[in-house]
């Protein structure tokens, strides 16, 4: 009897894992969409889903790193937008080479991340308020630099990277997969990754473990900035330009994907694999809604409900642990 009970408990613990639940939900939606629509299983649509997942997926991984430390980054979409603009301006207006433009796009994103870290650590501004302020500043700068217009004239070979694929897998998705694997390994097997979880458990706990809070916070936001810069580069290549609204509302999907994937807004919990699944779910819901002819406004409501449910579940989990 004890053995049977142990088996049941083991099965239940596996089923209760966030990643297992996410895979099951994604599978159900995938099957329903395949049976209920004609265009869902087409190569074009599946490729489009992967392309959408790639950019949001990279941003979501960066957001997960920040959330694990008990922080949050509202400025991620604006940083991506600024990186996109700098890459486009470098190529179309300033006459710089593609490699230089990419480096500038990443550099601006990292600097933005370091600026957020300075506000959070040096001035003790709550992460939400600090990054919200950064978002507003960056959005204003984007409009000033671009004069509120579209920047076109991107290098053709650079833009072609986003539309190319290896077999049936888009280049954008390959970049996402590679980054996800690297970030998974960093989070699981490096001292830096371990420090994120310890810091997320509380600053006092981090101090007792001899962890430099300053170094960890700066490293986290700078690394997030690096990923935002890469996402900005991919976005610029995909839309073949830069627009003032690039990256808007990306923070909503990024935070949603992180929380859906098991990251706790209280910190100390999160996984790259869960975030990847969360990204797929968010993009899949939007795509399936379109396939079934559901209006954009209604889909916004549905996405909002999914986010609220994820946050409520996160809060219930925390209460259960107490």
């Amino acid at each position: 009897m004890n053995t049977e009970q142990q088996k049941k408990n083991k099965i239940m613990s596996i089923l209760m894992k966030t990643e297992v639940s996410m895979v099951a939900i994604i599978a159900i939606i995938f099957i329903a969409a395949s049976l209920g629509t004609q265009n869902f299983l087409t190569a074009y649509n599946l490729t489009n889903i992967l392309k959408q997942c790639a950019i949001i997926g990279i941003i979501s991984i960066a957001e997960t790193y920040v959330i694990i430390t008990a922080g949050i980054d509202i400025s991620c979409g604006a940083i991506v937008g600024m990186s996109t603009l700098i890459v486009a301006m470098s190529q179309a207006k300033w006459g710089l080479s593609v490699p230089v433009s990419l480096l500038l796009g990443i550099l601006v994103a990292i600097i933005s991340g370091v600026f957020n870290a300075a506000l959070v650590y040096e001035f003790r501004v709550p992460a939400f308020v600090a990054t919200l302020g950064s978002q507003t500043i960056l959005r204003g700068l984007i409009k000033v630099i671009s004069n509120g217009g579209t920047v076109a004239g991107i290098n053709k070979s650079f833009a072609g990277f986003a539309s190319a694929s290896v077999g049936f897998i888009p280049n954008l998705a390959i970049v996402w997969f590679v980054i996800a694997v690297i970030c998974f390994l960093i989070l699981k097997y490096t001292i830096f990754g371990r420090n994120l979880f310890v810091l997320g458990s509380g600053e006092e706990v981090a101090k007792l473990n001899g962890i430099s809070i300053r170094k960890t916070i700066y490293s986290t936001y700078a690394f997030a900035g690096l990923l935002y810069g890469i996402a900005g580069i991919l976005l610029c290549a995909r839309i073949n330009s830069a627009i003032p609204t690039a990256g808007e509302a990306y923070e909503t999907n990024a935070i949603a994907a992180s929380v859906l994937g098991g990251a706790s807004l209280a910190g100390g919990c999160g996984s790259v694999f869960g975030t990847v699944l969360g990204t797929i779910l968010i993009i899949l819901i939007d795509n399936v809604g379109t396939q079934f002819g559901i209006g954009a406004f209604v889909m916004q409501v549905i996405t909002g409900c999914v986010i609220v449910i994820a946050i409520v579940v996160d809060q219930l989990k925390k209460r259960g642990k107490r």
Side-chain angles (χ1 to χ4, degrees):
M1 186 67 181
N2 290 335
T3 306
E4 289 182 7
Q5 188 62 41
Q6 286 177 355
K7 286 182 179 179
K8 287 181 180 179
N9 291 338
K10 190 174 182 179
I11 292 171
M12 284 302 295
S13 65
I14 293 173
L15 292 175
M16 287 299 289
K17 283 187 177 180
T18 301
E19 289 86 352
V20 176
S21 302
M22 293 289 290
V23 170
I25 294 170
I26 290 170
I28 291 169
I29 294 175
F30 195 94
I31 293 169
S34 301
L35 297 175
T37 66
Q38 293 181 339
N39 298 322
F40 179 78
L41 274 181
T42 60
Y44 174 81
N45 186 57
L46 295 178
T47 300
N48 186 50
I49 289 174
L50 285 174
K51 286 181 179 180
Q52 286 181 294
C53 283
I55 296 171
I56 294 297
I58 294 171
I59 300 168
S60 300
I61 291 171
E63 189 72 56
T64 298
Y65 268 58
V66 175
I67 289 176
I68 288 173
T69 66
I72 196 165
D73 193 350
I74 306 298
S75 67
C76 58
I79 296 176
V80 170
M82 177 58 79
S83 176
T84 299
L85 176 63
I86 294 300
V87 172
M89 291 288 290
S90 298
Q91 294 181 25
K93 303 294 183 183
W94 303 336
L96 299 177
S97 65
V98 172
V100 173
S101 70
L102 303 188
L103 287 174
L104 284 177
I106 289 175
L107 181 62
V108 167
I110 292 174
I111 291 172
S112 299
V114 171
F115 178 72
N116 284 335
L119 291 176
V120 171
Y121 182 80
E122 307 295 348
F123 299 99
R124 296 296 172 181
V125 180
F128 180 88
V129 179
T131 56
L132 181 62
S134 297
Q135 179 195 54
T136 306
I137 292 170
L138 288 167
R139 282 296 169 199
L141 285 173
I142 288 170
K143 291 179 175 64
V144 170
I145 295 172
S146 66
N147 288 320
T150 300
V151 179
I154 308 299
N155 182 283
K156 291 182 179 179
S157 60
F158 167 68
F161 175 82
S163 57
S165 62
V166 177
F168 63 91
I169 303 176
N171 285 347
L172 297 182
I174 293 173
V175 174
W176 173 40
F177 295 154
V178 171
I179 288 175
V181 170
I182 293 172
C183 290
F184 170 80
L185 295 175
I186 290 173
L187 205 57
K188 192 169 181 65
Y189 296 109
T190 68
I191 295 174
F192 171 60
R194 181 183 68 85
N195 289 349
L196 298 185
F197 288 100
V198 177
L199 178 57
S201 300
E203 289 195 4
E204 289 302 319
V205 178
K207 288 177 182 176
L208 290 172
N209 281 272
I211 294 171
S212 170
I213 296 173
R214 185 176 192 270
K215 183 179 178 181
T216 304
I217 289 177
Y218 272 92
S219 299
T220 303
Y221 281 92
F223 184 70
L226 169 65
L227 296 184
Y228 298 151
I230 294 172
I233 290 170
L234 297 182
L235 179 61
C236 183
R238 189 181 183 205
I239 63 177
N240 196 22
S241 63
I243 55 177
T245 56
E248 279 192 359
Y250 279 16
E251 58 276 359
T252 304
N253 285 337
I255 294 170
S258 300
V259 176
L260 283 169
S264 172
L265 293 174
C269 184
S271 76
V272 172
F273 181 54
T275 300
V276 168
L277 293 175
T279 302
I280 294 172
L281 180 59
I282 288 291
I283 299 301
L284 197 58
I285 289 173
D286 184 63
N287 184 272
V288 170
T290 302
Q291 295 294 327
F292 279 106
I294 301 174
F297 298 145
V298 176
M299 284 309 304
Q300 191 172 4
V301 173
I302 293 172
T303 303
C305 289
V306 171
I307 295 170
V308 170
I309 291 170
I311 294 172
V312 170
V313 170
D314 175 50
Q315 293 298 314
L316 291 175
K317 283 182 180 178
K318 282 194 296 180
R319 290 181 188 177
K321 289 179 181 179
R322 292 174 188 170

Short mmCIF file of all heavy atoms in Angstrom, two decimals, residues 153-197:
data_model
loop_
_atom_site.label_atom_id
_atom_site.label_comp_id
_atom_site.label_asym_id
_atom_site.label_seq_id
_atom_site.Cartn_x
_atom_site.Cartn_y
_atom_site.Cartn_z
N GLY A 153 16.01 51.30 -45.64
CA GLY A 153 17.31 51.26 -46.32
C GLY A 153 18.29 50.33 -45.64
O GLY A 153 19.51 50.57 -45.65
N ILE A 154 17.80 49.25 -45.05
CA ILE A 154 18.64 48.27 -44.36
C ILE A 154 19.41 47.44 -45.38
O ILE A 154 18.93 47.19 -46.49
CB ILE A 154 17.78 47.34 -43.48
CG1 ILE A 154 16.87 48.16 -42.57
CG2 ILE A 154 18.64 46.41 -42.64
CD1 ILE A 154 17.58 49.06 -41.62
N ASN A 155 20.62 47.01 -45.01
CA ASN A 155 21.43 46.15 -45.87
C ASN A 155 20.62 44.91 -46.27
O ASN A 155 20.05 44.24 -45.42
CB ASN A 155 22.70 45.73 -45.10
CG ASN A 155 23.62 44.87 -45.94
OD1 ASN A 155 23.37 43.69 -46.12
ND2 ASN A 155 24.69 45.48 -46.43
N LYS A 156 20.60 44.62 -47.57
CA LYS A 156 19.74 43.53 -48.07
C LYS A 156 20.16 42.16 -47.56
O LYS A 156 19.31 41.31 -47.25
CB LYS A 156 19.72 43.54 -49.60
CG LYS A 156 18.99 44.75 -50.19
CD LYS A 156 18.96 44.69 -51.71
CE LYS A 156 18.21 45.90 -52.28
NZ LYS A 156 18.17 45.87 -53.76
N SER A 157 21.45 41.92 -47.49
CA SER A 157 21.92 40.61 -47.02
C SER A 157 21.60 40.43 -45.54
O SER A 157 21.27 39.33 -45.09
CB SER A 157 23.42 40.47 -47.26
OG SER A 157 24.14 41.47 -46.55
N PHE A 158 21.67 41.52 -44.78
CA PHE A 158 21.33 41.47 -43.36
C PHE A 158 19.84 41.17 -43.19
O PHE A 158 19.45 40.32 -42.40
CB PHE A 158 21.68 42.81 -42.70
CG PHE A 158 21.09 43.00 -41.33
CD1 PHE A 158 21.53 42.23 -40.26
CD2 PHE A 158 20.10 43.96 -41.11
CE1 PHE A 158 20.99 42.41 -38.99
CE2 PHE A 158 19.57 44.14 -39.85
CZ PHE A 158 20.01 43.36 -38.79
N ALA A 159 19.00 41.87 -43.96
CA ALA A 159 17.56 41.64 -43.89
C ALA A 159 17.19 40.24 -44.36
O ALA A 159 16.25 39.62 -43.86
CB ALA A 159 16.82 42.69 -44.72
N GLY A 160 17.97 39.73 -45.32
CA GLY A 160 17.69 38.40 -45.86
C GLY A 160 17.90 37.29 -44.85
O GLY A 160 17.30 36.22 -44.97
N PHE A 161 18.73 37.55 -43.85
CA PHE A 161 18.99 36.55 -42.81
C PHE A 161 17.69 36.15 -42.10
O PHE A 161 17.48 34.97 -41.79
CB PHE A 161 19.99 37.09 -41.79
CG PHE A 161 20.22 36.18 -40.61
CD1 PHE A 161 21.09 35.11 -40.71
CD2 PHE A 161 19.54 36.38 -39.42
CE1 PHE A 161 21.30 34.25 -39.63
CE2 PHE A 161 19.73 35.54 -38.33
CZ PHE A 161 20.61 34.47 -38.44
N ALA A 162 16.83 37.13 -41.87
CA ALA A 162 15.59 36.87 -41.13
C ALA A 162 14.59 36.04 -41.91
O ALA A 162 13.79 35.31 -41.33
CB ALA A 162 14.94 38.19 -40.70
N SER A 163 14.64 36.14 -43.22
CA SER A 163 13.67 35.40 -44.04
C SER A 163 14.21 34.03 -44.47
O SER A 163 13.46 33.19 -44.96
CB SER A 163 13.31 36.21 -45.29
OG SER A 163 14.47 36.54 -46.04
N ALA A 164 15.50 33.81 -44.27
CA ALA A 164 16.11 32.53 -44.66
C ALA A 164 15.88 31.47 -43.60
O ALA A 164 15.48 31.77 -42.47
CB ALA A 164 17.61 32.72 -44.89
N SER A 165 16.11 30.23 -43.98
CA SER A 165 15.91 29.13 -43.04
C SER A 165 16.86 27.98 -43.35
O SER A 165 17.42 27.90 -44.44
CB SER A 165 14.47 28.64 -43.09
OG SER A 165 14.15 28.15 -44.39
N VAL A 166 17.02 27.10 -42.39
CA VAL A 166 17.79 25.87 -42.59
C VAL A 166 16.78 24.73 -42.60
O VAL A 166 16.22 24.38 -41.56
CB VAL A 166 18.82 25.66 -41.46
CG1 VAL A 166 19.56 24.34 -41.66
CG2 VAL A 166 19.81 26.82 -41.41
N GLY A 167 16.51 24.20 -43.78
CA GLY A 167 15.43 23.24 -43.91
C GLY A 167 14.11 23.96 -43.74
O GLY A 167 13.83 24.94 -44.43
N PHE A 168 13.32 23.52 -42.77
CA PHE A 168 12.04 24.20 -42.50
C PHE A 168 12.13 25.06 -41.23
O PHE A 168 11.13 25.65 -40.82
CB PHE A 168 10.91 23.16 -42.34
CG PHE A 168 11.11 22.23 -41.18
CD1 PHE A 168 10.60 22.53 -39.93
CD2 PHE A 168 11.83 21.05 -41.34
CE1 PHE A 168 10.78 21.68 -38.86
CE2 PHE A 168 12.02 20.18 -40.26
CZ PHE A 168 11.50 20.50 -39.02
N ILE A 169 13.32 25.14 -40.64
CA ILE A 169 13.47 25.93 -39.41
C ILE A 169 14.06 27.30 -39.75
O ILE A 169 15.17 27.39 -40.28
CB ILE A 169 14.38 25.21 -38.40
CG1 ILE A 169 13.83 23.82 -38.07
CG2 ILE A 169 14.51 26.04 -37.11
CD1 ILE A 169 14.70 23.01 -37.15
N PRO A 170 13.35 28.38 -39.43
CA PRO A 170 13.85 29.73 -39.73
C PRO A 170 15.14 30.05 -38.97
O PRO A 170 15.35 29.54 -37.86
CB PRO A 170 12.70 30.64 -39.26
CG PRO A 170 11.52 29.76 -39.11
CD PRO A 170 12.03 28.40 -38.78
N ASN A 171 15.97 30.88 -39.58
CA ASN A 171 17.21 31.31 -38.92
C ASN A 171 16.94 31.95 -37.56
O ASN A 171 17.70 31.76 -36.61
CB ASN A 171 17.96 32.30 -39.81
CG ASN A 171 18.64 31.61 -40.98
OD1 ASN A 171 18.75 30.38 -41.01
ND2 ASN A 171 19.10 32.40 -41.95
N LEU A 172 15.86 32.73 -37.50
CA LEU A 172 15.52 33.40 -36.24
C LEU A 172 15.30 32.38 -35.13
O LEU A 172 15.74 32.57 -33.99
CB LEU A 172 14.26 34.26 -36.41
CG LEU A 172 14.33 35.42 -37.40
CD1 LEU A 172 13.01 36.19 -37.40
CD2 LEU A 172 15.47 36.35 -37.07
N ALA A 173 14.60 31.30 -35.46
CA ALA A 173 14.32 30.26 -34.46
C ALA A 173 15.60 29.54 -34.04
O ALA A 173 15.76 29.18 -32.87
CB ALA A 173 13.31 29.25 -35.02
N ILE A 174 16.52 29.37 -34.98
CA ILE A 174 17.79 28.71 -34.65
C ILE A 174 18.58 29.55 -33.65
O ILE A 174 19.15 29.03 -32.68
CB ILE A 174 18.63 28.47 -35.93
CG1 ILE A 174 17.93 27.43 -36.82
CG2 ILE A 174 20.04 28.01 -35.59
CD1 ILE A 174 18.56 27.25 -38.18
N VAL A 175 18.61 30.86 -33.88
CA VAL A 175 19.28 31.76 -32.94
C VAL A 175 18.64 31.65 -31.56
O VAL A 175 19.33 31.58 -30.53
CB VAL A 175 19.22 33.22 -33.43
CG1 VAL A 175 19.80 34.18 -32.39
CG2 VAL A 175 19.97 33.37 -34.75
N TRP A 176 17.31 31.63 -31.53
CA TRP A 176 16.57 31.48 -30.26
C TRP A 176 16.93 30.18 -29.56
O TRP A 176 17.20 30.17 -28.35
CB TRP A 176 15.07 31.55 -30.56
CG TRP A 176 14.16 31.26 -29.40
CD1 TRP A 176 14.32 31.67 -28.11
CD2 TRP A 176 12.94 30.52 -29.44
NE1 TRP A 176 13.27 31.23 -27.33
CE2 TRP A 176 12.41 30.52 -28.13
CE3 TRP A 176 12.23 29.85 -30.44
CZ2 TRP A 176 11.21 29.88 -27.80
CZ3 TRP A 176 11.05 29.23 -30.13
CH2 TRP A 176 10.54 29.25 -28.82
N PHE A 177 16.94 29.08 -30.30
CA PHE A 177 17.27 27.78 -29.71
C PHE A 177 18.68 27.78 -29.11
O PHE A 177 18.90 27.29 -28.01
CB PHE A 177 17.17 26.66 -30.77
CG PHE A 177 15.78 26.44 -31.29
CD1 PHE A 177 15.58 25.90 -32.55
CD2 PHE A 177 14.67 26.78 -30.53
CE1 PHE A 177 14.30 25.70 -33.05
CE2 PHE A 177 13.37 26.58 -31.02
CZ PHE A 177 13.19 26.04 -32.28
N VAL A 178 19.63 28.34 -29.86
CA VAL A 178 21.02 28.37 -29.40
C VAL A 178 21.14 29.20 -28.12
O VAL A 178 21.79 28.78 -27.14
CB VAL A 178 21.95 28.95 -30.49
CG1 VAL A 178 23.35 29.19 -29.93
CG2 VAL A 178 22.02 28.00 -31.68
N ILE A 179 20.50 30.36 -28.11
CA ILE A 179 20.54 31.23 -26.93
C ILE A 179 19.86 30.55 -25.74
O ILE A 179 20.35 30.62 -24.60
CB ILE A 179 19.86 32.58 -27.24
CG1 ILE A 179 20.76 33.41 -28.16
CG2 ILE A 179 19.56 33.36 -25.95
CD1 ILE A 179 20.16 34.70 -28.62
N ALA A 180 18.77 29.86 -26.01
CA ALA A 180 18.05 29.15 -24.92
C ALA A 180 18.94 28.09 -24.29
O ALA A 180 18.99 27.95 -23.06
CB ALA A 180 16.78 28.52 -25.47
N VAL A 181 19.67 27.34 -25.12
CA VAL A 181 20.56 26.29 -24.61
C VAL A 181 21.69 26.91 -23.77
O VAL A 181 22.01 26.44 -22.67
CB VAL A 181 21.15 25.45 -25.76
CG1 VAL A 181 22.25 24.53 -25.25
CG2 VAL A 181 20.05 24.64 -26.44
N ILE A 182 22.29 27.97 -24.30
CA ILE A 182 23.38 28.64 -23.58
C ILE A 182 22.90 29.19 -22.25
O ILE A 182 23.55 29.00 -21.20
CB ILE A 182 23.98 29.78 -24.44
CG1 ILE A 182 24.68 29.20 -25.67
CG2 ILE A 182 24.96 30.63 -23.62
CD1 ILE A 182 25.12 30.24 -26.67
N CYS A 183 21.74 29.85 -22.26
CA CYS A 183 21.19 30.44 -21.04
C CYS A 183 20.78 29.36 -20.03
O CYS A 183 20.89 29.56 -18.82
CB CYS A 183 20.00 31.34 -21.37
SG CYS A 183 20.48 32.85 -22.23
N PHE A 184 20.30 28.24 -20.54
CA PHE A 184 19.96 27.11 -19.66
C PHE A 184 21.21 26.61 -18.95
O PHE A 184 21.20 26.36 -17.74
CB PHE A 184 19.34 25.98 -20.49
CG PHE A 184 19.19 24.68 -19.73
CD1 PHE A 184 18.13 24.49 -18.86
CD2 PHE A 184 20.12 23.66 -19.88
CE1 PHE A 184 17.99 23.31 -18.15
CE2 PHE A 184 19.99 22.47 -19.18
CZ PHE A 184 18.93 22.29 -18.31
N LEU A 185 22.30 26.45 -19.70
CA LEU A 185 23.56 25.95 -19.12
C LEU A 185 24.13 26.95 -18.11
O LEU A 185 24.63 26.56 -17.05
CB LEU A 185 24.57 25.69 -20.23
CG LEU A 185 24.20 24.56 -21.21
CD1 LEU A 185 25.22 24.48 -22.35
CD2 LEU A 185 24.11 23.22 -20.49
N ILE A 186 24.04 28.24 -18.44
CA ILE A 186 24.53 29.28 -17.52
C ILE A 186 23.75 29.24 -16.21
O ILE A 186 24.33 29.28 -15.12
CB ILE A 186 24.41 30.68 -18.16
CG1 ILE A 186 25.41 30.83 -19.30
CG2 ILE A 186 24.64 31.78 -17.12
CD1 ILE A 186 25.25 32.11 -20.10
N LEU A 187 22.43 29.15 -16.33
CA LEU A 187 21.57 29.18 -15.15
C LEU A 187 21.75 27.94 -14.28
O LEU A 187 21.68 28.01 -13.05
CB LEU A 187 20.11 29.29 -15.60
CG LEU A 187 19.10 29.90 -14.61
CD1 LEU A 187 19.53 31.29 -14.19
CD2 LEU A 187 17.72 29.95 -15.24
N LYS A 188 22.02 26.82 -14.90
CA LYS A 188 22.07 25.54 -14.17
C LYS A 188 23.46 25.17 -13.65
O LYS A 188 23.59 24.56 -12.59
CB LYS A 188 21.54 24.42 -15.06
CG LYS A 188 21.27 23.12 -14.30
CD LYS A 188 20.51 22.14 -15.16
CE LYS A 188 20.20 20.85 -14.41
NZ LYS A 188 19.29 21.06 -13.28
N TYR A 189 24.50 25.56 -14.40
CA TYR A 189 25.82 25.02 -14.08
C TYR A 189 26.89 26.06 -13.71
O TYR A 189 28.03 25.69 -13.48
CB TYR A 189 26.33 24.18 -15.26
CG TYR A 189 25.47 22.97 -15.52
CD1 TYR A 189 24.65 22.90 -16.66
CD2 TYR A 189 25.45 21.89 -14.64
CE1 TYR A 189 23.87 21.79 -16.91
CE2 TYR A 189 24.66 20.78 -14.89
CZ TYR A 189 23.87 20.73 -16.03
OH TYR A 189 23.08 19.64 -16.27
N THR A 190 26.54 27.34 -13.70
CA THR A 190 27.56 28.34 -13.37
C THR A 190 27.29 28.98 -12.01
O THR A 190 26.17 28.96 -11.51
CB THR A 190 27.62 29.45 -14.44
OG1 THR A 190 26.40 30.22 -14.39
CG2 THR A 190 27.80 28.87 -15.83
N ILE A 191 28.34 29.57 -11.46
CA ILE A 191 28.21 30.28 -10.18
C ILE A 191 27.26 31.47 -10.34
O ILE A 191 26.46 31.75 -9.45
CB ILE A 191 29.60 30.76 -9.69
CG1 ILE A 191 30.48 29.55 -9.37
CG2 ILE A 191 29.47 31.66 -8.47
CD1 ILE A 191 31.91 29.90 -9.03
N PHE A 192 27.37 32.14 -11.48
CA PHE A 192 26.49 33.27 -11.75
C PHE A 192 25.02 32.85 -11.70
O PHE A 192 24.19 33.51 -11.08
CB PHE A 192 26.81 33.87 -13.13
CG PHE A 192 25.83 34.90 -13.62
CD1 PHE A 192 25.59 36.07 -12.91
CD2 PHE A 192 25.11 34.70 -14.80
CE1 PHE A 192 24.69 37.02 -13.35
CE2 PHE A 192 24.21 35.64 -15.25
CZ PHE A 192 24.00 36.80 -14.52
N GLY A 193 24.72 31.72 -12.33
CA GLY A 193 23.34 31.22 -12.31
C GLY A 193 22.87 30.89 -10.90
O GLY A 193 21.74 31.22 -10.52
N ARG A 194 23.73 30.26 -10.12
CA ARG A 194 23.37 29.93 -8.74
C ARG A 194 23.13 31.19 -7.93
O ARG A 194 22.20 31.26 -7.11
CB ARG A 194 24.49 29.10 -8.10
CG ARG A 194 24.22 28.68 -6.66
CD ARG A 194 25.41 27.94 -6.08
NE ARG A 194 26.56 28.81 -5.91
CZ ARG A 194 26.76 29.58 -4.84
NH1 ARG A 194 25.89 29.59 -3.86
NH2 ARG A 194 27.83 30.34 -4.76
N ASN A 195 23.97 32.20 -8.16
CA ASN A 195 23.84 33.46 -7.41
C ASN A 195 22.50 34.15 -7.65
O ASN A 195 21.96 34.82 -6.76
CB ASN A 195 24.98 34.40 -7.77
CG ASN A 195 26.32 33.94 -7.22
OD1 ASN A 195 26.37 33.01 -6.39
ND2 ASN A 195 27.39 34.56 -7.64
N LEU A 196 21.97 34.01 -8.87
CA LEU A 196 20.68 34.62 -9.19
C LEU A 196 19.58 34.08 -8.28
O LEU A 196 18.77 34.83 -7.73
CB LEU A 196 20.31 34.37 -10.65
CG LEU A 196 21.22 34.93 -11.75
CD1 LEU A 196 20.61 34.67 -13.11
CD2 LEU A 196 21.45 36.40 -11.55
N PHE A 197 19.57 32.75 -8.12
CA PHE A 197 18.54 32.12 -7.29
C PHE A 197 18.72 32.49 -5.81
O PHE A 197 17.73 32.73 -5.10
CB PHE A 197 18.60 30.60 -7.45
CG PHE A 197 18.09 30.11 -8.76
CD1 PHE A 197 18.97 29.77 -9.78
CD2 PHE A 197 16.73 30.00 -9.00
CE1 PHE A 197 18.50 29.31 -11.00
CE2 PHE A 197 16.24 29.55 -10.22
CZ PHE A 197 17.13 29.21 -11.22
#
